[in-house]
Amino acid sequence: MHQESPIQRRKTRQIYVGKVAVGGDALISVQSMTNTETCDVAATVTQIRRLEAVGADIIRVSVPSMEAAKAFKAIRAQVETPLVADIHFDHRIALQVMENGVDGLRINPGNIGSLDKTRLVVEVARDKGISIRIGVNAGSLEKDIHEKYGEPTPEALVESALRHASILDELNFHDVEISVKASDIFLAVDAYRLLSRQVDYPLHLGITEAGGLRSGTVKSAIGLGLLLREGIGDTIRISLAADPVEEIRVGFDILKSLHLRQKGINLIACPSCSRQEFDVINTTNALELRFEDILEPMDVSIIGCVVNGIGEAKEADIGLAGGDKRSILYYRGKQVDRIVNQNIVDVLEKRVRAEIAERVAGRNEA
């Protein structure tokens, strides 16, 4: 059963990245970033479509050169999801990519040239309704700020963010979000906490360079979980040295665990023990693979015995409590069948897809 989150989110102004609202009362959006060579249009489009298939709300594309900015036009024409261009140092690349249909820029205004050059970028962004993310990273602080603090500190990250934000504020541009990322959880969390007390801009959360799939997921879940529980954060990116598709999956798993966003199947599965009546682990892994294409929110419980299985099954949309040779199937809180244990994966998939089809049909009729 889907529960309301007890989290009271911080009030922020709302901006748009293309069609996606960020901040205000909008749902927390989940982002990723392509890792293909941007000038390889076919490879980049293929990866973006894979990210779209698992529910990415916003996708960032690195645009390091004018050639990449020109390739961006062909990429934009072939995909639906809002795209953010990641740009450093050269305001001309920002101007070019804005002409080619970008939905948002990730820049640091103080690093793309003089105030006059920044003004040119801001004027075009304003005219075209393009938002800007100020992206501060502990690994690339300005030299004077690093010297002032001696090392990356929460105060250093926030000072850098406010410096860049003041440039946009001076130019009367407010369609802005900010990130203050670090690979160290405590540094990132403290920086976001400090920043959230000083601005009402929406915040983009991330533990940057978090690591591989397992370690990076753990770091991100801890860091973002701490902030999200405090109501801080309007859009998230999980930075993993892994397939970007996994970043989207992990992002939604974090939001689902906090009841902040429901997308896809929420599998409730026991770790298994000697009481299990069927192979819980392999069953769960098989169902995860079969459910990868499903974005409809649903709770599915898979418990290997009746000790906790019945209680969990009654609370889920569809649930299974392990039994000798046959396991008990629950649907909307009521026992409806007993399934031969060898058939569990096929039967559960069929049940889940039938329930989704019924929901969709009901919405279409409404």
Side-chain angles (χ1 to χ4, degrees), residues 50 77 89 98 103 134 148 240 320:
R50 292 180 61 234
F89 309 126
M98 286 192 289
D103 299 288
I134 294 168
K148 176 180 177 180
L240 302 176
L320 193 75

Side-chain angles (χ1 to χ4, degrees), residues 53-75:
V54 293
D57 296 304
I58 299 168
I59 298 170
R60 182 158 45 115
V61 178
S62 179
V63 186
S65 65
M66 291 299 290
E67 290 75 18
K70 293 172 182 176
F72 184 90
K73 185 175 183 179
I75 295 167

Side-chain angles (χ1 to χ4, degrees), residues 245-264:
V245 166
E246 297 299 333
E247 298 185 349
I248 299 299
R249 290 175 176 153
V250 172
F252 277 114
D253 284 343
I254 290 172
L255 295 181
K256 280 190 289 189
S257 69
L258 294 169
H259 303 298
L260 286 168
R261 185 94 183 262
Q262 298 295 334
K263 180 171 282 192

Side-chain angles (χ1 to χ4, degrees), residues 209-344:
E209 299 146 359
L213 179 57
R214 185 182 66 185
S215 61
T217 294
V218 171
K219 290 178 186 177
S220 297
I222 293 171
L224 271 60
L226 287 167
L227 291 165
L228 292 167
R229 180 62 183 90
E230 296 173 16
I232 298 170
D234 302 282
T235 183
I236 65 174
R237 190 259 173 118
I238 312 301
S239 296
L240 302 176
D243 186 335
V245 166
E246 297 299 333
E247 298 185 349
I248 299 299
R249 290 175 176 153
V250 172
F252 277 114
D253 284 343
I254 290 172
L255 295 181
K256 280 190 289 189
S257 69
L258 294 169
H259 303 298
L260 286 168
R261 185 94 183 262
Q262 298 295 334
K263 180 171 282 192
I265 304 299
N266 178 34
L267 277 176
I268 302 156
C270 67
S272 78
C273 69
S274 61
R275 292 195 304 266
Q276 69 178 356
E277 301 288 357
F278 61 89
D279 188 339
V280 174
I281 292 174
N282 283 328
T283 297
T284 302
N285 290 337
L287 287 169
E288 280 188 333
L289 290 174
R290 294 197 186 193
F291 292 156
E292 281 184 348
D293 64 308
I294 297 175
L295 300 183
E296 181 79 18
M298 184 183 299
D299 290 339
V300 177
S301 173
I302 306 164
I303 309 298
C305 72
V306 296
V307 174
N308 296 321
I310 293 175
E312 293 285 0
K314 287 181 177 179
E315 293 298 319
D317 297 301
I318 295 173
L320 193 75
D324 182 25
K325 297 182 181 178
R326 290 178 177 268
S327 294
I328 310 167
L329 179 68
Y330 286 80
Y331 177 63
R332 298 181 180 178
K334 296 182 180 180
Q335 181 179 336
V336 295
D337 203 357
R338 285 184 175 269
I339 304 174
V340 176
N341 288 345
Q342 289 87 341
N343 299 336
I344 285 174

Side-chain angles (χ1 to χ4, degrees), residues 73-238:
K73 185 175 183 179
I75 295 167
R76 171 71 283 172
Q78 299 180 61
V79 300
E80 298 295 327
T81 301
L83 300 181
V84 172
D86 192 274
I87 295 168
H88 296 276
F89 309 126
D90 192 339
H91 79 291
R92 295 171 299 171
I93 297 175
L95 293 173
Q96 180 66 57
V97 83
M98 286 192 289
E99 292 301 321
N100 290 345
V102 79
D103 299 288
L105 298 175
R106 188 274 192 179
I107 62 173
N108 287 339
N111 294 344
I112 60 168
S114 66
L115 182 60
D116 287 340
K117 293 177 179 178
T118 303
R119 182 180 287 108
L120 287 174
V121 172
V122 167
E123 287 174 353
V124 175
R126 182 184 291 112
D127 289 344
K128 293 182 175 294
I130 295 169
S131 59
I132 293 176
R133 172 162 72 89
I134 294 168
V136 174
N137 194 303
S140 56
L141 285 171
E142 296 93 318
K143 183 178 179 180
D144 65 310
I145 290 180
H146 198 285
E147 290 177 350
K148 176 180 177 180
Y149 291 94
E151 62 181 359
T153 66
E155 293 77 12
L157 268 66
V158 170
E159 181 172 330
S160 177
L162 295 178
R163 173 184 292 181
H164 293 298
S166 69
I167 297 171
L168 297 180
D169 189 58
E170 181 180 339
L171 296 172
N172 196 32
F173 186 87
H174 306 293
D175 290 334
V176 175
E177 60 179 313
I178 303 178
S179 62
V180 281
K181 297 183 181 181
S183 58
D184 179 84
I185 293 173
F186 295 106
L187 175 55
V189 168
D190 288 347
Y192 277 110
R193 284 171 173 162
L194 180 61
L195 181 63
S196 71
R197 294 194 291 267
Q198 299 187 48
V199 300
D200 66 350
Y201 291 118
L203 298 184
H204 168 106
L205 301 188
I207 304 299
T208 194
E209 299 146 359
L213 179 57
R214 185 182 66 185
S215 61
T217 294
V218 171
K219 290 178 186 177
S220 297
I222 293 171
L224 271 60
L226 287 167
L227 291 165
L228 292 167
R229 180 62 183 90
E230 296 173 16
I232 298 170
D234 302 282
T235 183
I236 65 174
R237 190 259 173 118
I238 312 301

